[in-house]
Amino acid sequence: MNAMRPQCLENKTEVSEFVLQGFHVLPELKPYIFIFFFAIYIITVVWNMLIVAIVSVEDNLQSPMYYFLGNLSFLEIWYMTTTVPTILSSLVREGCTVTRAACVTQFYFLVLLAATECLLLAVMAYDRYLAICLPLHYSLSMDQFHRIQLVAISWVIGCIFASVTNCLVSTLEFPDHNEINHFFCDFKPFVKTACSDTFVAEVTTFAFSFTVSSVPLLLIIVSYFRIIWAIMRISSSTGRNKAFSTCSSHLAVVIMYFGALIFLYVVPSNGQTIELNKVLSLLYTVATPLFNPIIYTLRNKDIRKALTNYLRKRLPIKRV
């Protein structure tokens, strides 16, 4: 496994920094790419912050579904803040240099946020299952205590997964001059540069990635089979359309997020180029946080109405 890895020097020195190679594009294109990612970052953070705010203060958005959506938006803010500043820095400088501590810390938060989002999406599917299939038990099963408990469990499991993975990665040895062919400290490009045995780290990370992605995905699939079966039994077309509309936004996010995550971390990497790896990383770290609030806002009239009322109250707009 390590035949093609860089060789460690006999007189080992502690590696203090890594060089992120970032995007391999023409220099004249970098300012435009910088503006593009900077705009995406501002739009995503502001939009998700607005969702967190309206879910917290608007009376008609106090149901469990919107509570989970607010937590998901809060997570997406940190997702973007963990990755995009490093991407912007790699565009400004040729070969962005990061310390080993900063790289390991970034990797920790990426794993934490990825695992937690998988679990939160499963919790949201379970919430929709209870609301549609077991409406009489919904208020009892999703009271304030239970919804806080489900969110807390998601974050705790994410922390455990990130801590174990990070401990394994932190023990790896690297050559003195180390370059990572990526725009942030992701697992595969980070481990590829190691000169020590990575078997335990790779196998453990694969097992954890498979578990934390496949188990929530299985729960989501089972929930939606039950939901679709229950919706098809609704006699009113209006009732069916309303039930479908509450689930379609979540299902779209699930397909986009889990598709990229599973292909990147669970499917064997044979045949995956470095550039494809970068594109998939952008899909789940940048595209998903951007499209989540857009999808939920466009598909949900309650959020659109609450967002309009929230902005009208706080922005000094004079009506003519």
Side-chain angles (χ1 to χ4, degrees):
M1 177 176 288
N2 295 323
M4 302 300 293
R5 295 193 179 280
Q7 295 297 315
C8 290
L9 299 177
E10 291 187 9
N11 296 325
K12 298 171 185 173
T13 58
E14 185 69 20
V15 176
S16 59
E17 59 185 28
F18 297 94
V19 178
L20 300 174
Q21 295 181 2
F23 293 94
H24 296 155
V25 295
L26 296 174
E28 55 267 25
L29 294 178
K30 287 191 175 183
Y32 300 101
I33 298 175
F34 178 92
I35 294 172
F36 175 73
F37 277 102
F38 183 74
I40 286 179
Y41 176 70
I42 296 299
I43 291 169
T44 304
V45 170
V46 170
W47 210 319
N48 278 293
M49 287 178 67
L50 283 173
I51 289 181
V52 173
I54 62 174
V55 167
S56 302
V57 301
E58 293 294 324
D59 293 334
N60 62 328
L61 298 182
Q62 298 305 307
S63 66
M65 178 178 69
Y66 297 116
Y67 173 78
F68 296 131
L69 177 58
N71 278 274
L72 183 64
S73 293
F74 174 78
L75 184 147
E76 302 292 25
I77 294 170
W78 287 104
Y79 232 142
M80 292 292 283
T81 304
T82 301
T83 56
V84 175
T86 308
I87 295 174
L88 296 177
S89 181
S90 69
L91 290 167
V92 172
R93 295 178 291 174
E94 188 67 32
C96 174
T97 302
V98 294
T99 64
R100 177 167 181 162
C103 202
V104 171
T105 301
Q106 184 182 52
F107 176 70
Y108 172 83
F109 280 104
L110 279 171
V111 176
L112 165 63
L113 296 169
T116 305
E117 181 158 351
C118 289
L119 296 166
L120 276 179
L121 290 172
V123 168
M124 294 174 75
Y126 177 64
D127 171 73
R128 291 298 82 206
Y129 161 74
L130 290 177
I132 295 173
C133 301
L134 301 171
L136 298 179
H137 301 277
Y138 182 64
S139 58
L140 182 62
S141 300
M142 278 294 173
D143 59 10
Q144 186 175 14
F145 173 77
H146 285 99
R147 69 181 82 161
I148 293 174
Q149 188 178 49
L150 287 170
V151 170
I153 290 173
S154 300
W155 281 97
V156 168
I157 293 176
C159 284
I160 294 172
F161 178 32
S163 298
V164 173
T165 308
N166 220 48
C167 286
L168 293 172
V169 169
S170 298
T171 60
L172 298 178
E173 297 172 357
F174 298 87
D176 287 339
H177 303 288
N178 197 33
E179 292 187 352
I180 299 176
N181 190 5
H182 214 285
F183 33 75
F184 59 83
C185 298
D186 206 2
F187 179 76
K188 285 186 178 180
F190 186 64
V191 169
K192 275 183 180 179
T193 60
C195 56
S196 57
D197 187 6
T198 62
F199 178 78
V200 175
E202 290 186 88
V203 170
T204 304
T205 301
F206 172 81
F208 275 32
S209 299
F210 180 80
T211 303
V212 84
S213 58
S214 62
V215 172
L217 184 59
L218 180 62
L219 292 174
I220 291 170
I221 292 172
V222 171
S223 297
Y224 272 104
F225 267 119
R226 298 292 299 272
I227 288 169
I228 292 171
W229 178 256
I231 290 175
M232 297 305 296
R233 296 169 60 185
I234 299 176
S235 57
S236 168
S237 60
T238 304
R240 285 198 300 270
N241 292 334
K242 184 177 180 181
F244 271 122
S245 66
T246 61
C247 300
S248 58
S249 301
H250 177 258
L251 195 56
V253 171
V254 166
I255 293 172
M256 180 171 61
Y257 184 75
F258 276 93
L261 209 61
I262 290 175
F263 193 78
L264 188 59
Y265 291 107
V266 178
V267 175
S269 58
N270 296 337
Q272 287 187 24
T273 64
I274 294 174
E275 298 306 318
L276 176 60
N277 190 284
K278 290 182 180 181
V279 171
L280 292 171
S281 298
L282 284 178
L283 189 59
Y284 84 89
T285 59
V286 177
T288 303
L290 172 65
F291 287 119
N292 274 3
I294 295 175
I295 291 172
Y296 280 109
T297 303
L298 294 179
R299 298 286 300 174
N300 193 300
K301 64 180 182 179
D302 291 334
I303 292 183
R304 292 200 304 270
K305 183 179 178 181
L307 184 59
T308 303
N309 293 336
Y310 181 83
L311 294 176
R312 192 174 292 164
K313 292 175 183 177
R314 284 157 179 80
L315 295 180
I317 301 176
K318 294 183 180 180
R319 296 184 181 178
V320 181

